[in-house]
Structures are given as structure tokens and as C-alpha cells.
Amino acid sequence: MIVLGIDPGYGRCGFGVIESNESAMNGWSHLASGVISTSAETEFSDRLLEIGDDLVSIIRQYKPELLVIEQLFFAKNTTTAMKVAHARGMIVYVAKKEGVRVEDVMPNEVKQALTGYGAADKKQMQEMVKTVFGLSKVPEPDDAADALAIAWTGATRAAYL
Amino acid sequence: MIVLGIDPGYGRCGFGVIESNESAMNGWSHLASGVISTSAETEFSDRLLEIGDDLVSIIRQYKPELLVIEQLFFAKNTTTAMKVAHARGMIVYVAKKEGVRVEDVMPNEVKQALTGYGAADKKQMQEMVKTVFGLSKVPEPDDAADALAIAWTGATRAAYL
């Protein structure tokens, strides 16, 4: 089973692709990870189009069964929050359109799943991503590591619920 | 020129299609209007898919050159605001993907364009939609009338800026 994790954003949108693998230490291997980035000089509607097109390419290349995407939590109704929500809605639509099942995870659920601690800091999370997938270093950039954590949380949800 | 106006939403998403017409009183005729609605019992990701699919059908049927969509303005960061932003991002993406130019309008800009008064009430707006397009009655439901007002504002923007 292949799972695609998404750390939603419009300037930087992290993605992480993992595959179930019985011989891997924690049952899942890292296949690919990275970030889809768009320029602040590009009109917002064109940024959405770019991210959507790149996401379609990733989905068609890796053929995930499940897309796991983090829920948004913003303390304030900022312009940024609304823009990330625009991108997130587009991403969910693109996944469904490509026939991929979509599941949400909450930020604290991801922390809990990786570190057993819902308030873990960013550094702890990244170290756990490296450990879980048996990587030689923390995947970069941060958004890619976050997306791998999100993918793993959704993929292994049945195991820790 | 054909213009599609969208009053964004996920439970009810209004649409209005208008066409430039020299013989029409105000230069534009009403072609079609209505609402795309989804059930609260449907999972949110499936609601996005339904709205997107219906929007693609409308775009392919009427072939608008321009899609005009209202900007969101919410005083509070409610769950509803974030969900509408999800739908709006998906709508903008679908339009761009179908090769349609996208323009935003602000709610007070729509009121100003139709009534010359940025704080007009809903009733005044709807009466003006009826008048502008020379219709025998106010288009229903409200979301459809709002979408026609949005389309007209974007379509005639050059005229009143």
C-alpha cells in the first residue's frame, strides 16, 4: 500500500510518499518526499493551478491508495489561514478526482503518533521521522519531513487508535 | 462575451451566467442561474468533488471567458469560513484548469456596482438584479441572484472603475 502525506500550503506544500514494507523496521519505507513551491510573484489563482498540476503528477507517478492531509488549525482568522484553506480544498478535490481516498489528521494527532506526546516540538518530530523510516538524515526541507510524519500517522492509524 | 458569476459555498454554491448583448437594456442578458447544492450527510471531500464536477459541466456548457467569484469576508475564524475557503480554492482551480480567466470581487464592490451604495441590503440587491437583466421576477434561490450580481459586477467593472 502506498500513502501520500500532504502538509498543505500555497507557498510551500510538503509531500511525502511511503510504502508498506514488511522488511522495514517500522513497516513502512520512504519512497519520495519534497516540496511543491510557488512564487509570491505569481497570481494566487495561478499558484493554485501550479500546485494542483504538480500534485496530479505526483499522484500519477506513485499511485497512492490514500492521501493523508493535515487539518488546519489557526488561532486567528488571518489572510494566510484563508489562503491555506483555499489550497487545501483544491488538494482534496484533486485527490478525489484522481480516485484517491482522503483522510484528515489533526496536528496533535501527528505529534502523538510519532513521539507519543501531543505537544512535541518540531525538532523532536523531525528526528522521529528519520528514525521511523531508518533514514541517514532528517528529510529536507521541513515541509517534506512534516508530510512524511502526516503520511505515517494516517497509514498507521489503525495500529495506535 | 459570456461571464460566470459564483457565490462560493459548500452547502449551496450559487452560479449565474450572463452574456453581453447590445440590445439588452443594460448591455447584458441573463443566460442561466441556479445553485449547486450538496447534502450535509455527504462527507466534506465528496461535497467538494460534487461541486467541482457540476462546475466543470456548467463551464463546458456555457463556455464563459471569465469567472467572477466573490472574496470571502468573515469577522471570525469559524469552521464555516474555513470550509467555504476550501470550496472557493477548489472552484478557482477548476476554472483555471478549464482555461477560464478568474477575477475576484469584494462583497461591498458588488453592492456598490448594483445599487451605487456599498451597504445595500439583500432585498435591494435582489431587486436590482431583476431590474438590471429585465427579468419578470427576482431569480431564485438567493444564491443564484447573488451570483448574477457578482457576474455583472465583474463583467462591467471597466465601466464603473
Side-chain angles (χ1 to χ4, degrees), chain A residues 43 45-46 48-49 52-53 56 72 74-77 81-82 85-90 92-94 96-97 102, chain B residues 43 45-46 48-49 52-53 56 72 74-77 81-82 85-90 92-94 96-97 102:
Chain A
E43 210 195 327
S45 60
D46 287 315
L48 290 179
L49 186 61
D53 284 351
V56 168
L72 306 182
F74 289 97
K76 287 186 185 173
N77 181 24
M82 294 300 274
H86 275 66
R88 193 179 184 283
M90 176 276 293
V92 169
Y93 169 79
V94 165
K96 298 290 289 189
K97 197 71 199 160
V102 175
Chain B
E43 210 194 328
S45 59
D46 288 315
L48 290 179
L49 187 60
D53 284 352
V56 168
L72 306 182
F74 290 96
K76 287 186 184 171
N77 180 25
M82 294 299 274
H86 275 66
R88 193 179 184 283
M90 176 276 293
V92 168
Y93 169 79
V94 164
K96 297 291 289 191
K97 197 72 200 160
V102 174

Side-chain angles (χ1 to χ4, degrees), chain A residues 30-77:
Chain A
H30 171 276
L31 275 190
S33 57
V35 67
I36 303 169
S37 50
T38 65
S39 164
E41 285 165 33
T42 304
E43 210 195 327
F44 185 66
S45 60
D46 287 315
R47 297 174 86 171
L48 290 179
L49 186 61
E50 280 180 29
I51 299 163
D53 284 351
D54 285 358
L55 181 61
V56 168
S57 298
I58 292 165
I59 289 173
R60 293 187 183 172
Q61 182 174 354
Y62 295 103
K63 300 176 180 60
E65 218 171 274
L66 171 66
L67 179 144
V68 185
I69 184 165
E70 198 164 64
Q71 269 291 10
L72 306 182
F73 178 77
F74 289 97
K76 287 186 185 173
N77 181 24

Side-chain angles (χ1 to χ4, degrees), chain B residues 33-94:
Chain B
S33 57
V35 68
I36 303 169
S37 50
T38 65
S39 164
E41 285 164 33
T42 304
E43 210 194 328
F44 185 67
S45 59
D46 288 315
R47 297 174 87 172
L48 290 179
L49 187 60
E50 280 180 29
I51 299 163
D53 284 352
D54 285 358
L55 181 61
V56 168
S57 298
I58 292 165
I59 289 173
R60 292 186 183 171
Q61 183 174 356
Y62 295 103
K63 300 176 179 58
E65 218 172 275
L66 170 67
L67 179 144
V68 184
I69 185 164
E70 198 165 63
Q71 269 292 10
L72 306 182
F73 178 77
F74 290 96
K76 287 186 184 171
N77 180 25
T78 60
T79 303
T80 301
M82 294 299 274
K83 282 185 167 176
V84 176
H86 275 66
R88 193 179 184 283
M90 176 276 293
I91 290 164
V92 168
Y93 169 79
V94 164

Side-chain angles (χ1 to χ4, degrees), chain A:
Chain A
M1 183 181 174
I2 293 172
V3 177
L4 169 59
I6 297 284
D7 183 22
Y10 58 95
R12 302 173 65 80
C13 179
F15 69 92
V17 190
I18 65 175
E19 184 173 25
S20 53
N21 177 355
E22 285 185 17
S23 66
M25 186 173 59
N26 290 289
W28 293 83
S29 305
H30 171 276
L31 275 190
S33 57
V35 67
I36 303 169
S37 50
T38 65
S39 164
E41 285 165 33
T42 304
E43 210 195 327
F44 185 66
S45 60
D46 287 315
R47 297 174 86 171
L48 290 179
L49 186 61
E50 280 180 29
I51 299 163
D53 284 351
D54 285 358
L55 181 61
V56 168
S57 298
I58 292 165
I59 289 173
R60 293 187 183 172
Q61 182 174 354
Y62 295 103
K63 300 176 180 60
E65 218 171 274
L66 171 66
L67 179 144
V68 185
I69 184 165
E70 198 164 64
Q71 269 291 10
L72 306 182
F73 178 77
F74 289 97
K76 287 186 185 173
N77 181 24
T78 60
T79 303
T80 301
M82 294 300 274
K83 282 184 168 177
V84 176
H86 275 66
R88 193 179 184 283
M90 176 276 293
I91 290 164
V92 169
Y93 169 79
V94 165
K96 298 290 289 189
K97 197 71 199 160
E98 293 290 316
V100 182
R101 188 156 56 89
V102 175
E103 285 186 17
D104 299 334
V105 290
M106 294 299 293
N108 60 353
E109 186 185 353
V110 178
K111 290 177 177 176
Q112 181 73 37
L114 265 95
T115 66
Y117 174 52
D121 68 22
K122 211 164 180 67
K123 178 95 181 131
Q124 287 173 295
M125 289 287 292
Q126 290 172 351
E127 284 300 321
M128 278 308 295
V129 168
K130 179 182 139 188
T131 304
V132 159
F133 296 108
L135 303 172
S136 57
K137 59 187 187 69
V138 173
E140 290 181 346
D142 290 359
D143 317 74
D146 292 345
L148 287 166
I150 291 162
W152 197 77
T153 303
T156 61
R157 188 179 257 163
Y160 69 85
L161 273 185

Side-chain angles (χ1 to χ4, degrees), chain B residues 10-22:
Chain B
Y10 59 95
R12 302 174 65 80
C13 178
F15 69 92
V17 190
I18 65 176
E19 184 172 26
S20 53
N21 177 354
E22 284 186 17

